[in-house]
Amino acid sequence: MHPAAPAYLRVVRTSGWYDLIVTAGFATPWTYALLHRLLSAGGDAAGLGTMPALTPMQTLYANLMGSVVVVWSALRVVRPLPLHGLLDGLARVLFSLWQAYALAHGGPRVLWPFLVVEVSFGVAQLAPWLRARTSAAGRESVRPS
C-alpha cells in the first residue's frame, strides 16, 4: 500500500476515530475523573491493576494530552492526508516508548492493551512510508549515471 492510496487514508482516518473515542474522556477534569474510575475498576476486574490515585497534576497532564489529541484526531477524521499518517505514526512511536517506559517502571498493566493498539497503528501508518522510501532508493541505485 502506498501512502497516497485510499486504503492508507482510511487507516489514517480510522486511527483518528480510535484516538477521538479513546482520548475524549481525558480532555476535561470531570470526564477524566470518571474515566480514571472506569479504568481502575476495569483494570482491577481484569487483574491488570488499578490506576494510581488521582491528583490535580495528573489531571492537568491528562487534560493537556486529551485536549491536544482530540484536536489532532479531529483533523485526521475530517481531512486525512498522507502526511498526517506519517506524523501520527511518528507520534505513536513516542507514545509507545513512554507507555513501555511506564510499564517497565511499575505502571499499571492496564496500559498493555493501549500499547498494543499504539504499536499496531504506528506500524500500519509507517510501514507504507518505509516501503516507499526503500523502493525509491532501489530505483535510484539502478539509474544509469
Side-chain angles (χ1 to χ4, degrees):
M1 170 174 24
H2 189 273
Y8 180 77
L9 298 179
R10 280 193 296 277
V11 171
V12 174
R13 180 175 276 134
T14 300
S15 76
W17 275 115
Y18 166 80
D19 286 346
L20 191 59
I21 291 164
V22 169
T23 60
F26 288 87
T28 74
W30 309 277
T31 54
Y32 180 61
L34 174 63
L35 183 61
H36 185 276
R37 284 194 301 274
L38 291 173
L39 286 171
S40 284
D44 193 35
L48 297 174
T50 60
M51 298 289 287
L54 193 62
T55 67
M57 287 308 294
Q58 180 192 95
T59 299
L60 170 65
Y61 284 117
N63 296 159
L64 292 172
M65 182 273 304
S67 298
V68 170
V69 174
V70 163
V71 172
W72 173 239
S73 301
L75 174 67
R76 288 178 289 130
V77 167
V78 172
R79 185 159 172 115
L81 296 174
L83 179 60
H84 296 161
L86 174 62
L87 295 174
D88 191 60
L90 294 172
R92 287 181 189 281
V93 168
L94 294 172
F95 269 60
S96 296
L97 286 171
W98 310 147
Q99 287 175 348
Y101 179 86
L103 285 163
H105 291 87
R109 291 180 315 212
V110 73
L111 289 175
W112 275 108
F114 297 102
L115 177 59
V116 169
V117 175
E118 286 298 321
V119 169
S120 299
F121 272 126
V123 168
Q125 291 181 114
L126 291 177
W129 287 93
L130 295 173
R131 279 194 299 273
R133 183 173 183 208
T134 302
S135 175
R139 285 191 303 272
E140 288 290 321
S141 66
V142 295
R143 279 197 182 150
S145 305

